[in-house]
Structure formats: structure tokens, C-alpha cells
Amino acid sequence: EDAEPCLREALRHLEQAFDLQDPRLLLPLMRLGRCLQDREDPRAEDLYRRILAIAAAQPEADPLLELEARARLGQLLCEQGRDDAADALLRSALDRLLQVAPVSPKQLEMIGGAVLMLVARLEYREDYLGAAEVLERVDYLAPEEPATAEKDAFAKDLRELAGSKVRFLRLDKLQT
């Protein structure tokens, strides 16, 4: 709770120093958005939307910050029950995350979060084929011999999810 006033003050100073659309504001906006979202403060939505607007206008902006904002906004909308908008943001975040190369530990974490949220939402709606398709899209990220501890943990999680993919495909066949 003590971080929010400090983050707001720092952001206020940066906004005075830079143009309001300056990509150097992205990280402070993200930090404040995370702080607010962790406290379940709905004002985080406006910050994430502002990050997306700045990133869209500034091609040199950090793509991972834009993608994190997209995924976090999707999560926030999901928590608010705004399902269609949440799904669209989570899918677009996953699509874009899978296009950014090389895959970093931060990307793996973001991909994992988007995948888990999408799969849970699709399973809840009994869209088993959709859930299996999401898992299929990230299969290639689980190398047989990961190079780092983060990638090893992610690969292990993906291998465990592979069993879920088979289960989803079976459930889909039972529905039809």
C-alpha cells in the first residue's frame, strides 16, 4: 500500500518531464498498474489501456511491456466477468508473445499465465477443442533438453498440460 503514493509521485514527475505519449512512461505505468491490480483496484484498467495506446503509437516501445499490459488487462477483465473482451485480449497477447523471438524467461512466464487463464476459461465453458488448440500452439516451447532452470520448469508444466490436451480432445469427442 505504501508503494502506490510513491509510484504516483514518480509518474507525475515523469509526465511533467516527458510527452504524455513517451515510451519511457511505460515501465512506471506498468509498475503502478501492477500495484493497483494486486490490490484489486479497478483503476488499473485505465493504466493498462494507456500503456496499450502509447505502445501502439510508438513502434520503438518495449514489446514485452505492451504484451504484459495486454495480458494483465485480459486477466483484469476476466476477473470482472467481461468474458468476450478478456478472451480477445488474452488470445491476442498469446498470439503476439509467440511471435516475439527469442523466448525469454519473462516471455515464458507471460505465455504460461495466458495459456493457463485461457485453458481454464475454455474448460469452464466446455469448449474442450478450443482448450486443446491453445495447448497445441505452445507444444513446441517444451524442448527435450531445456537450457535454463526457468525453461526446465516451463517445459515440465507443458508436459503435464499435454495430458490435459488429450483429455480435452476426448471430452470434445464425447460432446459430439
Side-chain angles (χ1 to χ4, degrees), residues 36 39-46 76 80:
L36 293 175
R39 293 179 33 223
E40 298 180 8
D41 187 323
R43 293 177 295 174
E45 179 178 348
D46 292 335
L76 188 76
Q80 295 173 352

Side-chain angles (χ1 to χ4, degrees), residues 2 5 7 19 22 24 27 36 44 47 77 87-88 92 106 119 145 155 161-162 169 174:
D2 295 331
L7 291 168
D19 178 71
D22 193 297
R24 290 175 284 191
L27 187 56
L36 293 175
L47 293 172
L77 296 177
D87 287 350
S92 70
K106 176 73 174 173
V119 166
E145 296 181 28
L161 286 173
L169 290 171
L174 288 174

Side-chain angles (χ1 to χ4, degrees), residues 43-125:
R43 293 177 295 174
E45 179 178 348
D46 292 335
L47 293 172
Y48 294 145
R49 291 192 184 282
R50 183 171 170 201
I51 291 168
L52 295 176
I54 292 171
Q58 307 291 333
E60 71 277 6
D62 181 352
L64 289 182
L65 279 174
E66 184 264 334
L67 294 172
E68 181 179 354
R70 188 177 296 277
R72 284 182 166 275
L73 180 57
Q75 178 185 5
L76 188 76
L77 296 177
C78 176
E79 292 164 358
Q80 295 173 352
R82 295 158 65 187
D83 297 338
D84 292 340
D87 287 350
L89 280 164
L90 289 168
R91 284 182 187 277
S92 70
L94 182 59
D95 290 345
R96 306 261 313 268
L97 280 164
L98 293 173
Q99 293 172 2
V100 177
V103 177
S104 68
K106 176 73 174 173
Q107 272 177 271
L108 289 177
E109 179 184 335
M110 291 168 50
I111 289 168
V115 166
L116 290 175
M117 187 162 289
L118 275 170
V119 166
R121 295 178 54 64
L122 292 166
E123 182 178 19
Y124 177 77
R125 291 196 309 243

